[in-house]
Amino acid sequence: MASRRTWTWPPTTTKPGFKETQGPKFSPLRSGEGENTQAHSQLENPQSRSETEETQTHSSVEHDPNGSEGEDHQSHDDEEDAGSCSQGPGPLKVESSKHETPSTGLGKLFHSLRLDTVYLFSQEIRGHSVVEEKKVAMLGDMRSACYVSLLHILPTTASIMLLVLNWKGYYIGDELQGPVGQDGLRFLGLQFAAKMLELLAMASLSTILFALIRSRLIYETLPFGAMTTGFDFNNISLLWSKEFVATCGATTFSSSRIKTLLVSTIVVFTILGATIGPSAAVASQPVLRNWLGGGTVFWLNATSQELWPSNLDGVGLPDLPCTSSQNSSCFPPNYSLLASEMLSFWPFPSSVSADGGTVARLMPEKASIAGRYSIHTLEARFIGPFIYRPYLTSATTPSAAVADALSQVARYWNNANTHQCSVGKTCFHYYNDIFYTVNALQPLTFVRCSASDINATVQFPRLDQGIGKYPLVNYSSTTIGSLQWFDAATSNGTNPGLSWVELPAADFGRASVGAAVALPGTKSKTGEDGGQIFACTIDARWANATATISFLGGPMIVSGTPTGWLGGTQYLLDSTGLPLWPQVTIAPAWAESVSSIVTDSSESVFTSLCNSLGRQGNISKAISPINAVEAILAVMITDGLARTSSLATILGSLKGLDKGEWIYEFLPKDSVFGTGGSAFNYTYQQGDQSTKFELITAVNGYGYGVTAAPLLSTLVLLIYCLIATIYVVHSICFARMTSSSWTSITELVALAANSTPSSVLKNTGAGIATLGILKQPVKISVIDNRLQMVFDDREDADEIIQDELYG
């Protein structure tokens, strides 16, 4: 790179063979050197250059009689050496090398965007020399203010896009958009984009904080400890640093409002610096979850008391008994399903066992119960020789009427969604699974039995004392438990027998009904292997649950269990002192209808289930027969309760069936996610014998929406956007002033090096150990025509002038 030459005085070198002179002499300088010298000032000011030229000529004549000769030689030497300057009687002519400075518009743009390195590197590649010139500390230029605003546009725009995306909602599908099976790379790309947003936002916040600190340093004073907060605000430890503590304790602010503004800004910016990165990462990542996909309100033509009666008297179920001649109102023989899918797997003893009986026993805890338009799943948990041992044998299943309605309405939703996708409107085209749910009551039954011998006093357990507290209470009947009753119930010891009894609340507390079971022995009616009598207490409830159909779990298969149904929730009371789950009082006549004779062989449901236990044909041969009886009674009563008002149907027809108005009622209307409307044209009237339900559809897939983590993340981004927008508007519309000075540690050190040392900083060369130094007020002022850090109130310090060049 070509060197620059300037005048130096007095001369410092002579060429060999020539007499030393005191005339003007040229000295080569590297680019950027000597710009504050007198000669450089002469190049900038033609008038000053002429005066200097006359002074130098006069001085040469006085001190060197042969000056003209030396001058001629020097001029000749310079022409050979550099050819850049000439000395003669005419005006001085200078040919400086080309150079570009950051004062150009392109340089200002790159400087405002913190891209000085890019600009300087491009100048180096082009062979241009960038020299340090005087600079303007405060620019009152609208263009420069706009340049600085560009730094905030990209992170603010990206943040706003994430805000809109999460708050308005956007559904993607079962995986991210793009090639199938490449979600890992796409998530990695989103992480990189979030990191870039974090870096841009931090640069934006840094610019804003520097603007506040710079304005305090120029127009007022600032505690010395607060000067570097613009470099440290992205470190949370700043909040307990000695610099921040000193700033909070300083009393040199012009007003408490200024101090509050500065301290609060530092706190907010530090918190943003610590949270904006994770917030950007969370807000940019789509969430895999169940998104609300619509639904509808519908009504069944039965009252809540008909669907979930609190008292079941002698009136039997409308669809029982079911004989081999089926009709439209009759259910399939569910007892056979319970037997084949659940009870037939009850463990039984074996004389030959490969594991020696050490392997824990298991059995199915679910069975499918057929309805008219759906299948509802019965779930149970049994006491017995199993891994899982609940406090009480229990069983539950959704009500048949609710399951049928849910299955029907779910198919309507699927048709509506398919139609919207086919016409190119907003829909849920791709998904991992779809869940259709209805909140409703469903039966839940608890059973516990106690064993006694024939002709012994029968004792029923009391179940309302809490978990694990089931005291036995004597039954006053003289018939139940006698040998005559046993023979009649078991057909002289050939089949299991069952009698339903009422348990008075005064003695047995809250109980739905009692069951006395006569179990014949394996060899004879009496003796070692003789029969047994089980006294069983049944506690039936209507429990709050959510009936659900899962698309992958099988269309039309309804399942659901109450929350905490195995943990003693049945003992909880509501605010009125009544049971949280209403209890059902069952009359023996109604219970008898559940176990009525339903086969051509004149065999009751109870007997058939007992004979199916473990595929042994005899319940007495099974392991733990008393627990097997508890299991049979639990599933029988639960299945019977689920059939109450099973013929209830949906009221009304689909709205605008010919025009498809019902389609828009099933899907979210005003947003991407949400509940639906009312797809049926039925309107409830006072006194109608009907019950209201609501189908809620949830689609499992990736999407953006308002959930807990994205909500907090978007709030952080919203705060940043507000701060950046307020700053940009204030800079362009009101202040119309900007500056990019002292935005790096190097520039701040350069300012300190150019400042006159102050006694305030005595003994701080190796560090600062007291808060008093950090509380000292500091200001940037003009002294000796250059900017300096001033600690003392000096009379020769001048205010910085807008658009003025300073060295």
Side-chain angles (χ1 to χ4, degrees), residues 143-201:
R143 178 181 297 180
S144 299
C146 294
Y147 284 163
V148 174
S149 300
L150 294 178
L151 181 65
H152 310 279
I153 291 179
L154 185 57
T156 304
T157 303
S159 299
I160 292 176
M161 290 177 60
L162 290 178
L163 292 175
V164 174
L165 202 60
N166 283 275
W167 288 358
K168 186 177 180 180
Y170 179 74
Y171 180 75
I172 300 175
D174 57 337
E175 63 176 19
L176 303 188
Q177 294 171 335
V180 178
Q182 299 296 324
D183 278 354
L185 291 177
R186 289 189 280 268
F187 276 112
L188 180 62
L190 290 174
Q191 287 289 339
F192 280 125
K195 187 62 179 180
M196 184 60 64
L197 173 58
E198 176 191 0
L199 296 177
L200 292 174

Side-chain angles (χ1 to χ4, degrees), residues 575-624:
S575 58
T576 62
L578 297 176
L580 184 63
W581 293 339
Q583 190 175 45
V584 185
T585 301
I586 299 176
W590 186 93
E592 185 65 31
S593 67
V594 173
S595 181
S596 59
I597 298 174
V598 295
T599 62
D600 294 335
S601 60
S602 300
E603 192 175 71
S604 69
V605 171
F606 178 76
T607 301
S608 297
L609 294 179
C610 287
N611 292 335
S612 69
L613 205 73
R615 303 186 181 95
Q616 295 298 299
N618 190 337
I619 189 174
S620 299
K621 297 180 180 180
I623 296 178
S624 187

Side-chain angles (χ1 to χ4, degrees), residues 203-223:
S204 172
L205 291 173
S206 176
T207 300
I208 299 172
L209 186 56
F210 272 121
L212 178 61
I213 295 175
R214 190 186 299 113
S215 64
R216 296 299 97 196
L217 284 172
I218 292 176
Y219 299 112
E220 295 186 17
T221 59
L222 188 74

